[in-house]
Amino acid sequence: MPARPQRRRTISRLTIGAAALAAAATVTAAALPAGAATGHRAHAGRTVDVQLLSFNDFHGNLEPPQGSSGTVEELQPDGSKKNVTAGGVEYLAQSLRTARKGHPYSVTAAAGDLVGASPLLSGLFHDEPTIEAMNKLGLDVTSVGNHEFDEGRAELTRLQNGGCHPKDGCYEKGKKFRGAGFPYLAANVTDEKSGKPLLKPYTVWKHKGVKIGFIGVTLEGTPDVVSAGGVKGLKFHDEVETINKYAKVLDHQGVKAIVALIHEGGMPASPSYNYNCDSPGQGDGISGPITDIAKHVTPKVDALVTGHTHQAYACTIPDPSGRPRTVTSAASYGKLYTDTTLRYDRRTRDIVRTRVTPPGAVNHVVDRTQPKAADMTSLLARWNKLAAPVANRPVGHISADIAGRGTEAPESPLGDVISDAQLEATEAADKGGAQLALMNPGGIRSDLAFQASGPEGDGVVTYGEAFTVQPFTNMMNVVDLTGAQLLTALQQQVSGPNEASPKILQVSRGLTYTLDMKKSGADRLVKDSVKLNGTALDPAKTYRVAMNEFLAGGGDGFPAFKDGKNKYVGPSDLDALTAYLTAHSSASAPLAPPKADRITVVK
């Protein structure tokens, strides 16, 4: 379908004076335009360099993320590694504005999950503060991600088009939410009945005769990682087929330069943001779903901006014609941004991309030593004032950082705390009668940091900090599962759709078992090692198991949980966590990080 005109304002920051235009016009290129034969040189003044700035998986992290969630690993010249603090919208906006200087052709794009699973400052207001911040920092276009569907299609449409929340109304007197001043692209998401795209499938960025098409998709498996209500009435299509379809549409419209924004990603061999993803050594490079996607997306697409896995990489993967093409991701939470140079040929209207030289892409740290963007500081202060009565309420005390999202270990200390909290909230006979609790690791969105984030003091956990860890407010479910069904569920952590990238469930006190990762698939679970309170799990016995409603619905690749019977609905997971912290900690006796020794992993 043809692209509707963008609703956003004219991008005044791209307007350039005659001197700058003259300077840009002197750029020459010895490289060949895409598809041209070797041996022919582009004419002087025929090409201009377009700067593509991109990021992904911001998740409403307006304030600098706490603990390990707010660091990136940096590889040093001597081969050592160090962690660098990064992120926060005040610094992200400043970084992008600094990067744009001297670049008369600059476009900023994102690859989904701008919102959803957000800290309280954004999540409390249904992510309106984040959309406002994205408008201010000059975002031009984004794809949807799976988390854009957390509150359903109507809420996603509201974020795009504006209007006050249907239940909570307007948050500031005399102010109506304006919506996103940039298009959300959802090419592979259609209405089940009409077959029409939910939102625009593509858009065309234009400046001074330069045209670049953007196609946006989320992962086809979005229904597997979002609660059923969020995707009701929608169909999600194959990423490659969708991108190739709309690349043809753009090509027929005369738009030859095309970028795909894909909310799906990969896993680089190193977690260092400045790792050379194209290193030729054994085991180097990148793996995961994006590698297969990149190999099959049509050569008409000149660059792939990706996300979802929260990893940092700037890789080169050959397209189906064998030409190199950049595939990038900027970690998450606004800690990095990617700067990609696209050399645009005015005559062919395409990106110069030879078999030897693809567009160049580099990830940069959004460091916290630079000045803050003043308009973002004002934005944070305004929304923090509204959130303060809820956010600053103390709910517990800790003696040290309790690692959750930031740990690379299969079992995290915060995972133990959360699952214990869920068990305690549901184990009474009149509250579900749970015997054990299981927590999906993806639902743990941050660490609990000892250092104060505000005036509360070190070691104090506020409601806002607890919300940042558990922002979905899923209701707790307690269901009957046989021992055999439990064993199947534990096998599903490391088999089926989770075999390549295991999702290790966090377990409550008393449940222990071993995973042998030297084996494959379901065999990785050592069945006779699974014990509850020291007694081997009985396949024929029925157990009462607590979990959040997302897991109970089979989310994250755990269909075994959908067979649970006799469901009891308890408090929200956030209420369970805050109640546990209040009951088990005080200023004089803070909660210490658990040992995280319930799951044994053999590598």
Side-chain angles (χ1 to χ4, degrees):
M1 60 179 288
R4 296 190 295 272
Q6 289 193 26
R7 190 172 55 81
R8 67 168 296 156
R9 64 196 181 284
T10 300
I11 310 171
S12 59
R13 64 178 170 77
L14 290 178
T15 303
I16 56 176
L21 182 59
T26 62
V27 177
T28 60
L32 295 172
T38 58
H40 293 81
R41 299 176 66 86
H43 297 295
R46 198 170 102 181
T47 63
V48 294
D49 283 349
V50 178
Q51 179 190 58
L52 171 62
L53 301 177
S54 59
F55 57 95
N56 51 276
D57 296 276
F58 185 74
H59 289 290
N61 277 261
L62 296 170
E63 297 178 306
Q66 284 194 289
S68 56
S69 295
T71 64
V72 292
E73 184 180 278
E74 184 176 76
L75 187 64
Q76 303 301 297
D78 64 0
S80 63
K81 300 173 182 178
K82 75 172 184 179
N83 288 327
V84 180
T85 56
V89 77
E90 294 162 298
Y91 303 110
L92 176 61
Q94 186 69 22
S95 292
L96 295 174
R97 290 165 182 169
T98 300
R100 290 172 188 141
K101 291 179 180 178
H103 293 276
Y105 297 84
S106 184
V107 57
T108 303
D113 278 8
L114 292 178
V115 301
S118 304
L120 184 135
L121 181 59
S122 186
L124 184 64
F125 306 106
H126 298 279
D127 283 308
E128 289 181 21
T130 293
I131 298 299
E132 181 184 348
M134 293 296 113
N135 289 341
K136 286 180 179 292
L137 63 73
L139 183 63
D140 292 304
V141 59
T142 185
S143 68
V144 295
N146 54 288
H147 281 283
E148 264 81 19
F149 294 91
D150 284 347
E151 295 189 42
R153 64 190 295 177
E155 177 62 6
L156 172 56
T157 302
R158 186 184 76 88
L159 290 180
Q160 175 72 87
N161 298 328
C164 296
H165 191 270
K167 291 183 179 179
D168 295 341
C170 300
Y171 297 112
E172 295 178 287
K173 188 176 181 180
K175 287 188 178 181
K176 182 180 179 182
F177 176 56
R178 295 172 58 189
F182 50 88
Y184 258 113
L185 304 182
N188 67 330
V189 186
T190 60
D191 182 272
E192 279 186 345
K193 293 181 179 179
S194 70
K196 294 181 179 179
L198 174 65
L199 297 170
K200 291 176 65 172
Y202 63 87
T203 192
V204 180
W205 177 83
K206 303 175 183 179
H207 182 64
K208 299 290 185 180
V210 173
K211 295 182 181 180
I212 298 179
F214 287 88
I215 303 167
V217 299
T218 184
L219 68 153
E220 184 182 9
T222 290
D224 298 326
V225 292
V226 174
S227 295
V231 294
K232 185 178 180 181
L234 298 174
K235 188 173 182 180
F236 293 77
H237 303 268
D238 181 83
E239 304 95 337
V240 172
E241 291 178 4
T242 302
I243 293 169
N244 291 351
K245 168 186 173 181
Y246 286 108
K248 285 184 179 178
V249 172
L250 285 166
D251 185 64
H252 290 159
Q253 292 179 5
V255 179
K256 307 297 182 181
I258 302 172
V259 175
L261 308 175
I262 310 172
H263 191 71
E264 178 61 289
M267 301 295 293
S270 167
S272 298
Y273 81 88
N274 55 342
Y275 159 70
N276 181 2
C277 195
D278 295 332
S279 299
Q282 186 175 1
D284 280 343
I286 185 173
S287 59
I290 198 62
T291 57
D292 190 56
I293 291 173
K295 291 174 182 176
H296 292 90
V297 164
T298 172
K300 295 180 188 296
V301 173
D302 298 294
L304 277 59
V305 176
T306 73
H308 189 55
T309 57
H310 290 207
Q311 300 298 307
Y313 48 84
C315 304
T316 302
I317 299 177
D319 68 19
S321 73
R323 286 187 298 147
R325 179 167 58 190
T326 56
V327 180
T328 64
S329 175
S332 62
Y333 300 171
K335 294 180 290 187
L336 300 175
Y337 71 91
T338 310
D339 191 334
T340 303
T341 300
L342 302 173
R343 179 151 293 180
Y344 185 89
D345 187 312
R346 290 184 179 278
R347 193 187 75 177
T348 65
R349 293 172 293 176
D350 206 348
I351 302 302
V352 175
R353 189 162 61 87
T354 71
R355 293 184 183 276
V356 178
T357 308
V362 180
N363 276 323
H364 297 279
V365 177
V366 176
D367 72 87
R368 300 180 193 170
T369 61
Q370 64 186 311
K372 298 178 180 179
D375 58 337
M376 294 301 171
T377 302
S378 297
L379 181 147
L380 295 184
R382 209 178 82 242
W383 287 103
N384 265 317
K385 185 176 180 180
L386 291 172
V390 175
N392 296 338
R393 177 170 59 88
V395 295
H397 298 78
I398 57 177
S399 63
D401 288 356
I402 303 182
R405 187 74 176 188
T407 183
E408 296 181 6
E411 179 186 353
S412 71
L414 189 50
D416 286 0
V417 171
I418 290 171
S419 53
D420 284 353
Q422 294 180 354
L423 175 60
E424 187 164 298
T426 56
E427 64 183 343
D430 62 343
K431 294 183 178 180
Q435 297 167 273
L436 67 145
L438 301 169
M439 174 65 194
N440 57 306
I444 304 171
R445 306 305 300 185
S446 184
D447 302 338
L448 280 180
F450 178 78
Q451 183 177 359
S453 60
E456 73 276 6
D458 291 347
V460 178
V461 181
T462 65
Y463 182 84
E465 290 167 342
F467 185 99
T468 298
V469 169
Q470 295 258 263
F472 298 110
T473 318
N474 277 314
M475 303 308 292
M476 291 304 304
N477 287 183
V478 185
V479 296
D480 284 348
L481 289 171
T482 66
Q485 289 170 324
L486 261 175
L487 289 171
T488 298
L490 293 176
Q491 289 174 326
Q492 288 169 352
Q493 300 176 106
V494 289
S495 63
N498 292 332
E499 180 164 6
S501 183
K503 290 187 173 69
I504 309 302
L505 296 170
Q506 307 299 283
V507 300
S508 58
R509 52 181 165 76
L511 184 64
T512 57
Y513 67 90
T514 297
L515 291 172
D516 186 350
M517 301 306 289
K518 293 184 293 184
K519 296 182 179 180
S520 61
D523 290 337
R524 289 170 167 171
L525 177 70
V526 181
K527 282 188 175 183
D528 58 9
S529 73
V530 184
K531 296 180 180 180
L532 181 60
N533 299 321
T535 302
L537 202 69
D538 184 348
K541 186 177 177 180
T542 296
Y543 297 86
R544 293 289 286 167
V545 184
M547 66 191 79
N548 62 48
E549 59 186 321
F550 170 68
L551 265 186
D556 270 352
F558 290 95
F561 291 137
K562 292 194 289 186
D563 296 328
K565 307 293 184 184
N566 299 323
K567 181 171 71 175
Y568 170 88
V569 179
S572 74
D573 50 9
L574 177 59
D575 286 345
L577 176 60
T578 57
Y580 184 86
L581 290 170
T582 300
H584 291 272
S585 69
S586 65
S588 59
L591 182 68
K595 294 181 180 179
D597 57 359
R598 300 166 185 178
I599 303 172
T600 302
V601 179
V602 179
K603 296 183 179 180

